[in-house]
Amino acid sequence: SWFVEAERIRAWIDKHIHIIQERNEADDINPISRELSITDSLVLQLHHQHERLKQEIDHFDADDMDRLRSHVKMLTHTTTEKELTPADTSTIEITLTTLNMLSHLTKLLDDRSHWIQLLLLRVKWEDLFAQAVQWIAMTDEQIDAFLRGKARWSEKEEANYTSSSSTHEDDDKGIEGVIKTLVSLERKIADFDRGDYSDVLDAYQEMETLKNQALPDYLEMRQLGFEKAFEDLMKRSGFSRKVVEQLLSMISTVEKFKKLRDVGEELRHVLMNESSGTITEEDDEYAEKVQLFKEESARLITNASTCIPYPTVPEMSTAMGANDAHDNEITNENIKSAISA
């Protein structure tokens, strides 16, 4: 009879209400607590367990509950034709009670779904966050090595800047190697910006959207700290480019000085070997060459002080590039003294 069927349905709902309540008590974890004391694998286990329960309840709702609803609908539609019997009235009352119980079960299910979803998002953010923070630290070390190595001009390295051979083995040496490293670093940072960095931002946003309110300060501070760290990394990358531009300008200037020095040496050599007694028609030509040499020298000395850029160190929000200002000052001083020598 319908009374027996309704009783069976109520018992089934009651049992599943208790299952969810017991699970909620056992898994007392706050997905947005300061520290998450649950492993990724356990979160996935809870998720799969919950999905199975959800399917079970959906099947039950589509099958048993639908039959109950149809029966009540049929009873209420016949009221116009005949009076409801006491049995019919009881059936309707029991069904309404059962529907209320189902509504309670659905609410518990939805709340747990929300809790598990937030837990999954927190785990996802933590994993992406940890990987991205590690990547930023590693890339910052690479920029450090680049800035403290071949990116800066140094008199000791001068021989390496002008590599006459252009074989593949030498591609990573000399100035080609410097430019290659710079471009490679810039490309890596741009890829990270579009990829892993965006993923961390999206994961945080998803948590906030699901929570439907701002996340606690301790999580927000970590997220903002991460964003500032990447901002500083980009600033250091931009600064590295300026340091390389300074290096290229200095190499170009030194080469011009060397060429001019060679011209001067040649003129001096010719004038010393020239017999002081003989006056030839070439004298005017040499006088012109000497004058030209003097003008070129003056122009190069004037231009050298203005065409070489002296980059300033960007302001940082984190401890990144702590030695940049000191190293930059030394390089700038070395270049200035080399030019005025």
Side-chain angles (χ1 to χ4, degrees), residues 244-258:
V244 171
E245 283 166 2
Q246 181 188 50
L247 170 71
L248 295 175
S249 295
M250 187 56 183
I251 291 168
S252 167
T253 302
V254 168
E255 277 180 11
K256 283 173 190 166
F257 268 123
K258 281 180 181 171

Side-chain angles (χ1 to χ4, degrees), residues 254-272 285-297 300:
V254 168
E255 277 180 11
K256 283 173 190 166
F257 268 123
K258 281 180 181 171
K259 278 179 189 164
L260 205 59
R261 184 193 62 198
D262 294 345
V263 170
E265 277 298 310
E266 203 180 308
L267 277 173
R268 194 173 67 85
H269 187 70
V270 170
L271 291 169
M272 276 176 75
E285 191 189 324
Y286 281 119
E288 204 178 303
K289 279 186 178 176
V290 169
Q291 185 57 32
L292 195 66
F293 171 75
K294 284 178 179 174
E295 285 170 10
E296 281 287 319
S297 301
L300 188 56

Side-chain angles (χ1 to χ4, degrees), residues 38-53:
I38 186 168
T39 61
D40 292 12
S41 56
L42 190 55
V43 171
L44 278 176
Q45 212 175 306
L46 289 172
H47 170 64
H48 294 316
Q49 177 199 57
H50 186 68
E51 285 303 302
R52 285 195 297 274
L53 182 69

Side-chain angles (χ1 to χ4, degrees), residues 118 120-122 124-126 128-129 132 192-211 215 223 226-227:
L118 195 55
L120 284 167
L121 286 176
R122 172 70 186 272
K124 178 184 168 183
W125 176 74
E126 286 288 357
L128 290 168
F129 185 90
F192 176 80
D193 188 9
R194 286 191 297 269
D196 293 3
Y197 179 72
S198 293
D199 291 345
V200 174
L201 262 57
D202 291 347
Y204 188 85
Q205 188 61 58
E206 281 173 26
M207 274 199 294
E208 217 164 36
T209 305
L210 189 66
K211 191 77 185 121
L215 295 173
Q223 180 68 19
F226 164 74
E227 288 172 29

Side-chain angles (χ1 to χ4, degrees), residues 16 18 23 52 62 64 69 74 161 174 185 207 211 231 239 279 297 300 319 331-332:
H16 285 78
H18 281 104
R23 283 180 187 176
R52 285 195 297 274
D64 297 56
R69 287 187 196 99
M74 186 189 71
Y161 296 140
L185 280 166
M207 274 199 294
K211 191 77 185 121
E231 205 177 294
F239 174 65
I279 296 168
S297 301
L300 188 56
T331 305
N332 288 350

Side-chain angles (χ1 to χ4, degrees), residues 57 66 127 153 171 187 199 251 327 332 339:
I57 292 170
D66 250 21
D127 291 350
W153 182 84
D171 272 1
R187 197 168 291 149
D199 291 345
I251 291 168
D327 295 347
N332 288 350
I339 285 170

